[in-house]
Amino acid sequence: MEVVVELVDVYKHYLMGGQTVRALDGVSLQFRRGDYYAVMGPSGSGKSTLLNLLGCLDRPTQGQYLLGGTDVSTLDDDQLSGVRSSRLGFVFQSFNLIPQLTVVENIEIPLIYQGVSPRQARARAHEMAAMVGLSERLEHRPTQLSGGQQQRVAIARALTNDPLVILADEPTGNLDSVTQHEIMDMFDVMSRDGKTIILVTHEDDVAHRARHVLHLADGKIVRIETSEDRRRRMGLAGGTA
Amino acid sequence: MIHLRFARAFQMGIKSLRLHPLRSMLTALSVVCGVGAVIAMLAIGEGASFRAQEQFRSLGSNTIVIESIKRAVTKESQETNPIDRYGLTRLDLVQIHETIPDVELSVPVRDFRKDVWHKSRRYTDGKIVGTEYFFADVQNYKLARGRWICATDGVRGRLNQVVVLGSDVCAKLFPLEDPLGQTVSIGTKTFTVVGVMANQGGVVERKKLNLADLSKNVYMPLSTLSAYFGNIEVVRGSGTETRELVELKQIIARVADLEQVLPRAGAITHLLEKNHPEGDFRVVVPLKEIRQAQESARNFTLLLFSIGAVSLLVGGIGIMNIMLATVTERTREIGIRRALGARKIHIVMQFLIETLVLTTLGGLIGVLFGVCSPWWVPVIFRGQIAIVRVMTIVPSFLISAGVGILFGLYPAWRAANMDPIEALRHEWRAIEPGVVAWASCPWFSVTGETPVLRIGE
Ligand SMILES: Nc1ncnc2c1ncn2[C@@H]1O[C@H](COP(=O)(O)OP(=O)(O)O)[C@@H](O)[C@H]1O
Ligand SMILES: [Mg+2]
């Protein structure tokens, strides 16, 4: 499968009170189409920084980011906005729906910013709402929905522009365990449909839904393993404890 | 290229504004007041200007009034010369008429004080005025009843003893009867009343210019006056008695071309200064007063306009204040939109359009208020009239939109330049209405608020 995401020796440094914080410290990685990665690591290890970079919300201090074959590390602000609206899908921990907009209006946002005509955008949003099972709720406000329903709207919104990569930052962090499974099932479906998914989490059962688990520590990749390997390793570790 | 369709953006703007209906309404209200004030103030100024011009115009904008004035009389001169002779002469009249160009008519006026009687009723404030038949025409003076003195009235040898009464004289002497055809007596002579004058406008203005109140006059042909009463008037002061000989009390000259009024008045003054080195005359030019009235009305309008403009400015600052608060409050939304692909220009447009919706809606209502000012201004400010000029309406509305753009630009720019990552971390929250004003004052830092970071990621 073709490589859709490639980081080549990426550094992200922050200056904090005269000190350099190496949030990412020489990260190189490749994700192929259809890959499903869980990113794990202790707090402050650089997970959010990595996701922001991959999401074109930020630019690396040094290094190259190739998204779908094009180097996006040198694009300007407007071009990055264009990349976000056409090639990326975001799912956030706190859903991040816009409260004054209805379900359909929330779903069509990326299309509107892409310049798709309002009529087409509306049609596509209806399609996506149906896909996540919210056809009955098109005109509802986010506050009228449960947490799980809100996250489903967010997933529909992330998929509406048919993105190259879906980036999720703890998508189940605010959900109870039943809803968590429901949402993770949706990620499974997306993965089966061939979407490339990168998901930050620190819950093992969420991580185990992914095909690979990437471990970060102090801004460095310490290990990439398949989730079966990890499960086995965890099981072993559990056994010896 | 801005992909957002305008109509849609407008609709979205209304949606966002409906998040805080009361706040939005109050904000729009400040524009309502501002725009309403601008139009109403201009209308009041226009009304004042109209009134001032209208009243001075009734004095005759194309006339020049030359009056005789008494010199200070010294004791010796009084002793050596028992008759005080001063003022304008028939020679002046002829010279003005013959030598000053553009003077199409020049009317001589002679008057003196004398009581007027009708049966046992007596009118003491009156003035007997002898003049020519074209006096009324030159003065733009209208009859209420009967006729004015005519060209044949004063012809020598056929001394028709007719008078025309000023409105006040008529009211006092003939409170109930019909004055036409009745007689009045002045001194030993009896006259038939042939006409009554209408109330002339500009009473206050005439007083301002020190010109006599026309309603107290009794008019007759100048030739009649001279033949019946002679040229010498006996003026009785307190314990003194002077004899005065004034050939003409007034000359009213009408100039054909309005533009020539001021220069011709100058020429007349120059001419008379030569004839009267002692300076026993004065020249009054109503046009000068009209121009002055226009000038002061313009200043008045400017002052009122500034008041309106300041209130619009205050409205604009209020809007900026509210929009800064709105931007702060919706930081998270801005972050989301940016993450989903909004460019800076999209964010700028979004907030600018919201501001524009507020100001144009407010502006429309304000225009309505302003346009209605001719009705409500006289009710609130008694005696004041308002005239709305159509040409002030559209600019006022456009100014309100301009205020929206001007004062909306900074908050919108600020929204667009937020760091999307920071904005996404910002906590969802609605700021209390009371806090809004302070948190968003341009001179208080909004960014001084600490964004709440989520811990435990
Ligand atoms: N905007 C920033 N300014 C300064 N330091 C930052 C900024 N963002 C992240 N960091 C630092 O970079 C490191 C990695 O942070 P982050 O990527 O948020 O870690 P994680 O999401 O794994 O907890 C941390 O030490 C954090 O303090
Ligand atoms: Mg984090």
Side-chain angles (χ1 to χ4, degrees):
Chain A
M1 280 291 213
E2 69 186 286
V3 175
V4 287
V5 169
E6 183 171 12
L7 293 185
V8 185
D9 203 20
V10 163
Y11 293 81
K12 182 71 194 181
H13 294 171
Y14 292 108
L15 261 174
M16 276 273 274
Q19 271 195 320
T20 315
V21 180
R22 295 160 184 274
L24 287 181
D25 200 9
V27 171
S28 297
L29 53 78
Q30 279 191 347
F31 298 143
R32 291 169 189 283
R33 185 180 288 282
D35 273 354
Y36 188 179
Y37 273 84
V39 178
M40 300 190 82
S43 184
S45 57
K47 304 183 294 291
S48 295
T49 307
L50 177 65
L51 215 63
N52 289 340
L53 273 181
L54 293 174
C56 289
L57 288 165
D58 211 347
R59 268 170 290 212
T61 312
Q62 196 191 315
Q64 258 195 332
Y65 173 18
L66 300 163
L67 178 64
T70 45
D71 187 358
V72 295
S73 37
T74 55
L75 297 184
D76 68 20
D77 195 88
D78 278 356
Q79 291 169 319
L80 286 180
S81 295
V83 170
R84 290 198 295 270
S85 71
S86 60
R87 321 194 82 172
L88 298 171
F90 290 88
V91 180
F92 303 93
Q93 175 175 4
S94 48
F95 324 133
N96 279 349
L97 301 177
I98 295 175
Q100 70 266 32
L101 303 185
T102 61
V103 166
V104 252
E105 284 167 346
N106 265 290
I107 295 175
E108 69 190 6
I109 294 174
L111 297 177
I112 295 295
Y113 287 131
Q114 243 183 71
V116 174
S117 81
R119 243 222 272 105
Q120 275 179 293
R122 187 50 59 98
R124 172 80 178 156
H126 278 241
E127 212 175 285
M128 298 318 292
M131 199 197 75
V132 297
L134 286 172
S135 291
E136 309 294 304
R137 306 271 174 155
L138 294 175
E139 297 305 321
H140 282 60
R141 299 283 152 118
T143 45
Q144 296 167 310
L145 302 177
S146 71
Q149 285 171 327
Q150 288 188 51
Q151 196 60 302
R152 270 153 56 194
V153 175
I155 288 169
R157 184 177 67 184
L159 289 170
T160 185
N161 57 349
D162 193 19
L164 217 51
V165 182
I166 289 175
L167 301 159
D169 196 351
E170 296 203 42
T172 58
N174 282 3
L175 300 173
D176 60 73
S177 58
V178 178
T179 325
Q180 173 175 326
H181 281 292
E182 214 179 283
I183 295 298
M184 289 322 296
D185 290 345
M186 296 189 75
F187 275 87
D188 286 349
V189 172
M190 285 190 268
S191 179
R192 226 174 295 131
D193 288 350
K195 291 280 172 230
T196 310
I197 301 170
I198 301 159
L199 179 148
V200 169
T201 185
H202 41 223
E203 285 173 71
D204 292 324
D205 42 346
V206 171
H208 289 154
R209 298 283 195 120
R211 212 161 303 128
H212 293 92
V213 181
L214 186 152
H215 291 271
L216 276 180
D218 296 327
K220 289 192 172 73
I221 299 175
V222 289
R223 179 166 55 223
I224 300 180
E225 57 189 348
T226 62
S227 48
E228 285 98 77
D229 286 348
R230 179 176 148 84
R231 217 170 309 160
R232 211 168 301 129
R233 184 166 57 79
M234 299 288 280
L236 261 176
T240 51
Chain B
M1 166 125 176
I2 304 154
H3 295 299
L4 270 178
R5 307 270 163 104
F6 196 81
R8 198 194 133 84
F10 209 80
Q11 185 194 332
M12 286 294 144
I14 290 176
K15 215 160 205 171
S16 301
L17 291 171
R18 276 175 44 194
L19 275 177
H20 302 284
L22 181 66
R23 188 200 290 179
S24 302
M25 259 166 52
L26 289 175
T27 313
L29 193 63
S30 64
V31 184
V32 171
C33 293
V35 174
V38 166
I39 296 180
M41 291 295 156
L42 284 174
I44 291 175
E46 194 65 38
S49 158
F50 172 81
R51 195 169 258 188
Q53 288 181 41
E54 202 48 23
Q55 287 171 348
F56 278 106
R57 192 157 288 143
S58 67
L59 302 186
S61 51
N62 56 348
T63 60
I64 299 167
V65 181
I66 308 126
E67 282 200 322
S68 298
I69 49 173
K70 201 170 154 67
R71 289 161 295 146
V73 187
T74 57
K75 219 164 191 149
E76 315 129 63
S77 73
Q78 201 179 352
E79 275 158 17
T80 53
N81 197 356
I83 297 174
D84 186 18
R85 188 187 175 116
Y86 68 88
L88 303 165
T89 61
R90 287 199 167 269
L91 184 70
D92 293 329
L93 178 72
V94 172
Q95 281 189 351
I96 287 170
H97 200 77
E98 302 291 308
T99 62
I100 309 292
D102 298 317
V103 172
E104 50 179 12
L105 281 174
S106 41
V107 191
V109 178
R110 208 164 91 70
D111 62 20
F112 57 84
R113 300 201 156 277
K114 219 166 178 87
D115 292 352
V116 185
W117 292 80
H118 172 68
K119 293 181 183 152
S120 62
R121 269 188 223 109
R122 179 182 176 194
Y123 190 76
T124 51
D125 300 344
K127 241 187 197 166
I128 317 303
V129 178
T131 186
E132 301 287 355
Y133 63 94
F134 37 78
F135 172 87
D137 187 27
V138 170
Q139 286 282 61
N140 201 12
Y141 198 3
K142 299 285 181 297
L143 276 162
R145 323 209 27 211
R147 67 167 179 90
W148 178 244
I149 51 179
C150 65
T152 52
D153 276 339
V155 175
R156 236 172 248 286
R158 208 201 127 204
L159 295 175
N160 306 37
Q161 301 173 8
V162 299
V163 289
V164 175
L165 303 181
S167 54
D168 189 54
V169 184
C170 177
K172 297 278 159 57
L173 290 183
F174 301 96
L176 302 168
E177 312 102 285
D178 178 4
L180 294 185
Q182 304 260 22
T183 58
V184 294
S185 23
I186 302 164
T188 57
K189 313 290 184 203
T190 308
F191 300 84
T192 309
V193 177
V194 292
V196 178
M197 301 311 294
N199 259 319
Q200 171 92 323
V203 175
V204 178
E205 286 66 32
R206 288 191 72 89
K207 202 165 258 169
K208 229 186 247 169
L209 300 182
N210 230 345
L211 294 172
D213 182 353
L214 297 179
S215 67
K216 294 182 166 147
N217 288 349
V218 175
Y219 298 96
M220 64 179 69
L222 183 57
S223 52
T224 311
L225 185 95
S226 300
Y228 276 32
F229 301 101
N231 284 334
I232 294 167
E233 186 186 0
V234 179
V235 180
R236 293 192 177 84
S238 51
T240 59
E241 193 180 288
T242 43
R243 286 160 181 281
E244 291 184 355
L245 196 156
V246 183
E247 235 176 86
L248 295 178
K249 267 285 167 62
Q250 233 180 29
I251 297 170
I252 302 165
R254 189 164 82 184
V255 180
D257 180 2
L258 202 63
E259 282 314 300
Q260 294 303 329
V261 171
L262 294 180
R264 296 311 171 224
I268 289 172
T269 309
H270 192 71
L271 171 78
L272 291 177
E273 268 165 358
K274 251 189 265 162
N275 291 355
H276 301 266
E278 61 283 16
D280 50 355
F281 71 94
R282 68 181 187 122
V283 178
V284 179
V285 190
L287 181 69
K288 220 156 140 187
E289 312 304 323
I290 293 171
R291 295 262 155 93
Q292 232 160 47
Q294 278 173 334
E295 175 83 359
S296 61
R298 207 171 300 133
N299 288 339
F300 184 54
T301 307
L302 201 66
L303 175 80
L304 292 177
F305 174 74
S306 326
I307 294 172
V310 164
S311 59
L312 196 57
L313 187 75
V314 170
I317 292 171
I319 283 170
M320 180 148 95
N321 195 16
I322 293 297
M323 287 316 289
L324 282 169
T326 303
V327 164
T328 306
E329 204 180 274
R330 287 160 62 190
T331 300
R332 182 68 164 260
E333 178 190 329
I334 296 162
I336 297 166
R337 288 182 182 275
R338 294 282 278 136
L340 297 182
R343 296 178 185 186
K344 285 182 178 179
I345 187 73
H346 289 134
I347 303 293
V348 167
M349 290 309 288
Q350 180 191 339
F351 283 95
L352 211 51
I353 285 168
E354 263 178 51
T355 317
L356 268 175
V357 169
L358 272 181
T359 53
T360 50
L361 286 183
L364 271 178
I365 300 170
V367 164
L368 278 180
F369 259 103
V371 168
C372 291
S373 58
W375 288 277
W376 59 259
V377 162
V379 177
I380 297 177
F381 309 101
R382 286 190 56 188
Q384 201 61 257
I385 56 167
I387 298 171
V388 176
R389 281 220 245 164
V390 179
M391 57 178 264
T392 61
I393 296 172
V394 173
S396 301
F397 178 71
L398 290 182
I399 286 173
S400 75
V403 163
I405 293 176
L406 185 71
F407 290 94
L409 210 50
Y410 175 66
W413 177 86
R414 205 145 136 164
N417 281 284
M418 286 176 173
D419 176 18
I421 297 169
E422 289 291 324
L424 276 170
R425 281 198 201 126
H426 201 270
E427 199 189 10
W428 282 118
R429 72 174 144 178
I431 301 170
E432 288 300 312
V435 182
V436 166
W438 290 106
S440 61
C441 273
W443 41 88
F444 280 83
S445 165
V446 175
T447 46
E449 290 180 57
T450 44
V452 177
L453 289 155
R454 285 184 292 136
I455 340 169
E457 284 171 72

